[in-house]
Amino acid sequence: MSTKTGIELGAEAARRLRRWGSAECEIEPGLTDEEFTRIEDELGFRFADDHRAFLAAGLPVSVPYDDPPGVLRAWAEPWPDWRDGDRAALRRQVAWPLECVENYVEHYGFWPPEWGSRPEALEEALSVARKELAEVPVLVPVYAHRFLPAGRGTHGHPVLSVYHTDTIYYGADLAEWVLAEFADEGTSKPGLDRVPESPQATVRFWRDVL
């Protein structure tokens, strides 16, 4: 975990994004306290302190891609538009990690040991899985399938890349993630250097699927 405060981490991440991520997004005025309250009440989570400070310093908004014909991107708008974005789309992006897990329960036999014995009937197994997943800590989208754990009063979580049940670290904290994601080739990326060989996640459940 970083020794910086959540406000410091968020501000540093915002500065780095303005330096290295200008081609990937437009930076709108940051979210206000009133907007944070509305978003959190509507979507049912609380931003971690560094994530909140990052979005308060400036709201990244996706820009149109100019891809060659035939190229499809997994996320047409990878930056969540917390201010003006479609609320159903935002809910889908928040739900993505748990939907990935449920899909693997249904189709690939995924079943964490802490859930106990898996029921033989698929519908019963899915029912148990949904009850268990309802208690799993929320991951809040940062960019495409990069996520930070929710939680007011917390900060310094590693950024997780979640794709199906392939969950990996993508930066030791939010500020270092910006380097990993957007910095030019040859730029020193200390965040990746600090990710431990034996990962120690900061929230339950997700540490077990890393």
Side-chain angles (χ1 to χ4, degrees):
M1 300 278 289
S2 173
T3 58
K4 295 181 179 180
T5 68
I7 292 176
E8 289 170 339
L9 273 177
E12 179 63 21
R15 286 192 294 270
R16 290 179 175 182
L17 183 65
R18 289 180 185 277
R19 177 176 179 182
W20 284 299
S22 58
E24 295 288 336
C25 63
E26 295 177 353
I27 307 294
E28 295 186 351
L31 296 177
T32 65
D33 288 343
E34 291 76 13
E35 287 176 315
F36 278 114
T37 297
R38 174 177 57 82
I39 294 161
E40 292 175 333
D41 288 348
E42 287 180 357
L43 299 180
F45 64 82
R46 296 293 181 262
F47 288 100
D49 294 353
D50 46 355
H51 198 174
R52 183 185 178 99
F54 173 69
L55 297 172
L59 178 67
V61 178
S62 300
V63 295
Y65 289 115
D66 186 19
D67 286 330
V71 173
L72 296 176
R73 291 179 181 258
W75 299 87
E77 295 183 353
W79 291 102
D81 185 352
W82 299 110
R83 175 176 287 125
D84 297 320
D86 178 75
R87 282 315 189 245
L90 286 172
R91 287 188 178 93
R92 286 194 297 270
Q93 201 164 0
V94 173
W96 163 267
L98 295 183
E99 289 179 354
C100 286
V101 174
E102 185 175 327
N103 178 64
Y104 262 60
V105 169
E106 181 174 3
H107 297 288
Y108 300 98
F110 178 76
W111 196 261
E114 60 268 24
W115 290 0
S117 299
R118 176 176 175 134
E120 293 185 8
L122 177 58
E123 284 305 315
E124 187 178 350
L126 287 173
S127 178
V128 172
R130 288 170 187 141
K131 290 179 181 177
E132 294 287 348
L133 291 172
E135 303 301 320
V136 167
V138 174
L139 296 184
V140 181
V142 177
Y143 170 83
H145 53 278
R146 316 296 193 219
F147 295 83
L148 274 175
R152 183 73 54 78
T154 69
H155 70 277
H157 299 291
V159 174
L160 302 180
S161 176
V162 180
Y163 201 83
H164 302 299
T165 54
D166 182 11
T167 303
I168 63 172
Y169 282 124
Y170 217 82
D173 56 43
L174 183 60
E176 302 302 352
W177 165 75
V178 175
L179 283 176
E181 193 78 58
F182 299 113
D184 299 330
E185 286 294 325
T187 301
S188 175
K189 299 182 178 182
L192 294 186
D193 296 340
R194 293 194 287 108
V195 173
E197 292 184 5
S198 298
Q200 298 294 318
T202 52
V203 291
R204 63 182 180 82
F205 182 78
W206 300 109
R207 62 175 172 249
D208 300 320
V209 296
L210 277 165

